[in-house]
Amino acid sequence: MISIDKYAYNSRLRRRDPMQKLVFAMMTLSVCIWAEKIIISIAVIFIMGGMTVLKGGTPFPFFLRLLLVPMIFLLVGVFTIAVNICENQEMLLWAIPFAGKWIGFSDASLVKSLKLFLRALGAVSCLYFLSLNTPMVDLLAAFRRLGMPKVFVELMELVYRFIFSLMETADTIYNAQNCRLGYSSLCSSYRSLAIMASMLFIKSYKQSKALYTALEARGYEGEINVLEEAYESHWGWYIMAVAVNALLVLFVIALKSITGGLS
Amino acid sequence: MNENILETKDLHYIYADGAVALKGISIGIKKGKCTAVLGANGAGKSTMFLNFNGIYRPSSGQVLFNGKPIDYSRKGLKELRRKIGMVFQDPDNQLFSASVFQDISFGVVNMKLPEKECRRRVDNAMEQIGITHLRDKPTHSLSFGQKKRVAIAGVLAMEPEVLVLDEPTAGLDPIGVSELMKMLRQIQTTLGITVVISTHDIDIVPLYCDYVFVMYHGMMVLEGTPKQVFTQKETIRDINLRLPRIGHLMEILKYKDDFDLDDSINTISEARIALKDWKARYLKR
């Protein structure tokens, strides 16, 4: 999570208007989910990966590693779809007998699971494009412009800011406990962890009060208002987003008319 | 002419749990000067500061700003906090935004100025503090010293008349301390802003401050220029503080080793002059 944050701040696309990136990512994500085509899913992965790696400057190995994260969940999920139980061995490509029936993969179930797998990966790559090129602060600015309730945006902002502070504190407490053998046995580990949790709560509460005082000293009146950053923004990006997705949609329609909506 | 920008008259403050933090403080802070409030931990420095800008209300007594008692109405407090900028000890408690730029802009935006003016002030403040290069950095990637500077910039952008800093040098490395104090001195002289700091870093006081108040257990025990205050050696030692290192050295040289030196000297440059002078006298003999 922290490295995603780091790459987002260093992305070459960072200064681009977050709204444009959001629109591009969401549009492509919708097309990818709607299309249900293997080729489209692969295309989306390549487009988003290419944009992130070539335009944004995220190292390719890191992007690959990120794609591996949902892979485990996906494989497990997809496996259950690919496996069929059948009474007739002929219907399955490969099967093993089990309690008088057959368990195995069929032609259709394999295609179906592959489709689902790639579709999910395509959707994830859209989100990775967004999060690897848009720091949270910019994304929140886009949400604000979209008219999301202020309370939510402010909460998200504060949560994001203090997650790092909380992790740092937790780390310090953990080290301090570890130095005094707080994690030497299972029993003491549980105890230390409980103490840490309660300490974190108390510290957070204290810090929130201190923060409120500090905000008050700068004229806080119940609303956090700040200046928005100036972003690079011209229509080219919207046109690009629409053009890419129109191409994908056209391609899908063409495919459907050729194959008669079969695959 | 009343040159005190900030004054307290018999200020008492008692916390909700009954702890008495301030016991009748009467001080006057001079306009355009750099004033230090010295005191051991728990002497009441922070409590007094929070009384300055109306975050706390005195249990009895008065706080006066520019000769007038503080107006505790909503509007009055808003005006007061615009004019008295407060920088807290732990920047992590003050910086709420993940973006340096947005955090600095918070106070200015609350003043409801036109956007162009807000941007100008934010840019100005970043330049004065020397953190323009941090503008696009996320807050959580900054070092402690950098966070401290961002916190100061966020207050300075509001263009206050008084800049109150609670333990500004605590937790900084030696270079960081002298850089920060030089910067504050520069803000004070070039922008004419009154600077008030609390500290228990005694050696910076004779170097960078014009006037000192010494607090002990919620009371003001000494006040004066650093030179005047540090000649009250007994009192200083009684309240768990010490002399500046150079002052201590001069005292030992004078009283233990019978050097003919002025023991009210507290800085290296003054000591150097005095020692050179002593050498010249010695060689003449």
Side-chain angles (χ1 to χ4, degrees):
Chain A
M1 187 194 102
I2 293 171
S3 21
I4 293 183
D5 190 62
K6 219 170 64 199
Y7 284 119
Y9 275 101
N10 292 322
S11 164
R12 286 198 293 268
L13 292 174
R14 153 131 211 230
R15 294 261 62 115
R16 178 132 310 272
D17 192 332
M19 191 66 110
Q20 297 182 335
K21 285 182 276 190
L22 188 69
V23 166
F24 178 53
M26 288 304 134
M27 222 188 236
T28 317
L29 187 134
S30 321
V31 169
C32 174
I33 287 173
W34 163 78
E36 288 194 314
K37 297 274 177 212
I38 290 175
I39 184 94
I40 295 293
S41 302
I42 293 175
V44 166
I45 296 172
F46 271 95
I47 290 169
M48 288 308 180
M51 290 286 265
T52 308
V53 173
L54 299 177
K55 280 249 177 183
T58 304
F60 182 60
F62 182 73
F63 189 76
L64 264 191
R65 240 187 318 149
L66 273 185
L67 276 183
L68 284 178
V69 174
M71 208 76 102
I72 299 153
F73 303 102
L74 269 178
L75 282 177
V76 173
V78 158
F79 184 74
T80 53
I81 291 174
V83 172
N84 283 333
I85 300 175
C86 229
E87 299 196 0
N88 188 347
Q89 197 192 347
E90 268 99 78
M91 286 186 66
L92 301 171
L93 282 177
W94 178 89
I96 47 167
F98 177 78
K101 290 181 182 173
W102 293 89
I103 298 179
F105 308 111
S106 77
D107 205 354
S109 78
L110 270 184
V111 171
K112 196 176 164 197
S113 54
L114 185 67
K115 256 189 197 174
L116 186 72
F117 177 78
L118 288 171
R119 197 152 65 124
L121 218 54
V124 166
S125 69
C126 291
L127 292 178
Y128 277 157
F129 163 78
L130 194 62
S131 49
L132 281 167
N133 294 300
T134 325
M136 197 64 185
V137 183
D138 298 345
L139 203 57
L140 291 177
F143 287 165
R144 218 172 279 142
R145 268 194 277 162
L146 278 175
M148 195 185 258
K150 259 192 152 153
V151 187
F152 283 121
V153 183
E154 276 174 23
L155 265 178
M156 282 157 89
E157 173 153 42
L158 290 174
V159 166
Y160 172 70
R161 160 80 179 92
F162 287 103
I163 267 182
F164 294 94
S165 179
L166 191 76
M167 282 197 304
E168 227 177 85
T169 315
D171 204 45
T172 315
I173 295 177
Y174 176 81
N175 286 339
Q177 289 177 326
N178 211 2
C179 286
R180 286 175 289 162
L181 307 180
Y183 294 90
S184 55
S185 71
L186 191 65
C187 186
S188 63
S189 295
Y190 282 140
R191 202 173 335 117
S192 300
L193 205 62
I195 294 171
M196 171 150 89
S198 62
M199 276 310 293
L200 279 178
F201 181 77
I202 294 167
K203 282 205 169 197
S204 307
Y205 178 70
K206 275 192 175 163
Q207 186 164 9
S208 74
K209 281 181 103 175
L211 182 76
Y212 182 78
T213 310
L215 284 177
E216 235 190 337
R218 282 200 283 167
Y220 177 65
E221 282 178 327
E223 255 184 27
I224 295 179
N225 296 311
V226 290
L227 285 177
E228 296 291 343
E229 303 261 12
Y231 297 108
E232 286 168 21
S233 150
H234 42 86
W235 285 96
W237 252 73
Y238 284 127
I239 294 169
M240 185 277 291
V242 171
V244 166
N245 284 293
L247 268 179
L248 289 175
V249 170
L250 280 178
F251 193 63
V252 174
I253 293 170
L255 263 182
K256 282 194 175 160
S257 67
I258 290 168
T259 55
L262 271 179
S263 108
Chain B
M1 194 194 114
N2 188 3
E3 54 174 346
N4 287 339
I5 191 161
L6 207 54
E7 253 177 287
T8 66
K9 279 187 184 161
D10 196 30
L11 175 65
H12 284 77
Y13 189 82
I14 302 164
Y15 277 100
D17 63 359
V20 183
L22 302 176
K23 303 168 188 163
I25 304 263
S26 298
I27 60 168
I29 287 165
K30 304 252 180 326
K31 194 174 186 149
K33 300 280 184 208
C34 179
T35 304
V37 178
L38 261 180
N41 292 329
K45 303 182 298 268
S46 305
T47 312
M48 184 172 76
F49 281 5
L50 290 172
N51 274 284
F52 282 169
N53 74 343
I55 298 276
Y56 289 170
R57 249 186 222 220
S59 307
S60 70
Q62 260 187 332
V63 181
L64 295 93
F65 178 63
N66 274 331
K68 286 190 221 74
I70 291 184
D71 166 14
Y72 288 95
S73 71
R74 215 176 131 83
K75 213 176 136 216
L77 282 180
K78 201 176 168 184
E79 192 63 16
L80 181 75
R81 286 172 193 165
R82 191 182 78 65
K83 288 182 176 157
I84 303 180
M86 183 81 68
V87 180
F88 291 83
Q89 181 175 351
D90 185 354
D92 266 325
N93 288 341
Q94 181 166 349
L95 306 178
F96 70 89
S97 174
S99 148
V100 168
F101 175 77
Q102 293 194 345
D103 196 281
I104 297 174
S105 74
F106 174 72
V108 191
V109 172
N110 282 336
M111 287 163 64
K112 310 239 158 38
L113 297 166
E115 188 179 325
K116 218 174 151 194
E117 173 67 6
C118 289
R119 286 191 188 277
R120 186 193 67 77
R121 286 190 178 200
V122 171
D123 289 340
N124 247 357
M126 283 198 286
E127 211 162 291
Q128 275 154 3
I129 306 291
I131 51 165
T132 310
H133 61 290
L134 300 178
R135 183 194 172 106
D136 293 328
K137 290 261 164 64
T139 314
H140 49 261
S141 75
L142 305 182
S143 71
F144 184 81
Q146 288 172 328
K147 281 183 191 168
K148 197 113 207 176
R149 282 166 177 252
V150 173
I152 295 173
V155 173
L156 198 64
M158 297 167 78
E159 298 186 354
E161 290 178 29
V162 187
L163 192 60
V164 182
L165 303 104
D166 195 2
E167 305 265 4
T169 61
L172 295 178
D173 56 31
I175 301 290
V177 170
S178 57
E179 273 179 5
L180 185 92
M181 288 312 296
K182 274 183 200 144
M183 190 187 78
L184 289 178
R185 199 63 164 157
Q186 204 188 347
I187 289 169
Q188 177 226 333
T189 47
T190 57
L191 304 178
I193 294 176
T194 309
V195 174
V196 185
I197 64 167
S198 75
T199 187
H200 39 231
D201 186 348
I202 288 158
D203 292 303
I204 63 168
V205 172
L207 272 176
Y208 301 106
C209 301
D210 302 306
Y211 207 77
V212 200
F213 291 99
V214 183
M215 277 182 95
Y216 182 65
H217 283 332
M219 287 174 294
M220 208 51 84
V221 287
L222 285 174
E223 69 165 279
T225 61
K227 226 180 179 70
Q228 290 166 347
V229 164
F230 290 121
T231 47
Q232 309 289 316
K233 293 171 188 159
E234 290 308 308
T235 322
I236 293 278
R237 288 190 171 120
D238 280 347
I239 58 171
N240 297 337
L241 292 175
R242 61 164 175 81
L243 293 181
R245 294 285 182 212
I246 300 295
H248 192 192
L249 173 69
M250 298 310 265
E251 184 192 18
I252 291 172
L253 286 178
K254 181 174 179 181
Y255 295 107
K256 291 216 167 134
D257 303 335
D258 291 326
F259 278 79
D260 177 21
L261 285 169
D262 174 9
D263 67 331
S264 72
I265 282 169
N266 290 309
T267 62
I268 290 179
S269 57
E270 284 175 336
R272 188 173 165 215
I273 293 167
L275 285 171
K276 272 183 171 172
D277 184 48
W278 180 87
K279 185 177 155 195
R281 270 184 287 145
Y282 180 79
L283 289 176
K284 230 183 255 173
R285 261 202 319 211

